[in-house]
Amino acid sequence: MPSIFSKIAAGEIPCHKVAESDEFFAFLDINPIADGHTLVIPKKEIDYIFELDDDLLGRMMIFAKTVARALEKAIPCKRIGIAVIGLEVPHAHIHLVPIRKISDLSFEKPKLKKTQEELAQTAMLIREEMKK
């Protein structure tokens, strides 16, 4: 059975897409810990990030870097924090989170309540930066 992330990448479940390539997909987290919190996934469904072959993992990190560069221009922040947790969805993924301080990357803090319109606007800002 496909993961929720596979269904999102296939267009079966709506999302706020940020970027896409033949191998990878980036979209906003619907329960973000910060404005612009983005998830990067391989389209190939593999449960655990360290089960990706080395070449695919390397290309995924390069794709994530491209998204992170656009994200840091679109959302005011000091850095883009990166987290790989891998417990919540059985599909390898990277969290890209705009941060100003270390505690901004805490997944134990309350999630932000964003409207669909706010998420759409944020995704658009990031996509615009991706074009530059």
Side-chain angles (χ1 to χ4, degrees):
M1 172 180 270
S3 76
I4 190 169
F5 288 171
S6 290
K7 291 178 180 180
I8 288 170
E12 296 170 21
I13 295 175
C15 73
H16 295 282
K17 180 170 72 169
V18 171
E20 181 175 13
S21 72
D22 290 341
E23 295 183 295
F24 308 106
F25 196 84
F27 57 99
L28 293 182
D29 192 310
I30 60 168
N31 294 304
I33 62 171
D35 285 327
H37 181 171
T38 300
L39 299 172
V40 174
I41 65 166
K43 289 183 177 177
K44 183 177 182 180
E45 190 171 313
I46 297 173
D47 179 9
Y48 183 45
I49 197 164
F50 295 123
E51 291 173 351
L52 298 173
D53 69 56
D54 291 350
D55 290 337
L56 184 62
L57 179 58
R59 291 190 306 273
M60 184 174 173
M61 290 302 293
I62 291 168
F63 180 83
K65 178 182 177 181
T66 301
V67 174
R69 291 293 188 203
L71 183 54
E72 68 187 349
K73 291 176 184 169
I75 305 297
C77 62
K78 189 170 186 178
R79 297 264 169 110
I80 299 299
I82 185 170
V84 176
I85 301 166
L87 298 174
E88 58 281 1
V89 177
H91 191 129
H93 59 287
I94 297 170
H95 295 265
L96 299 176
V97 182
I99 61 173
R100 290 188 176 98
K101 57 189 182 305
I102 292 172
S103 61
D104 290 343
L105 199 53
S106 172
F107 285 80
E108 294 181 347
K109 68 183 186 176
K111 307 295 188 256
L112 301 179
K113 304 285 189 224
K114 294 291 182 178
T115 66
Q116 291 301 310
E117 294 77 22
E118 290 171 322
L119 291 169
Q121 177 66 23
T122 299
M124 189 224 26
L125 290 172
I126 300 166
R127 285 192 306 272
E128 290 296 317
E129 290 297 336
M130 294 287 297
K131 293 176 187 176
K132 294 181 182 178

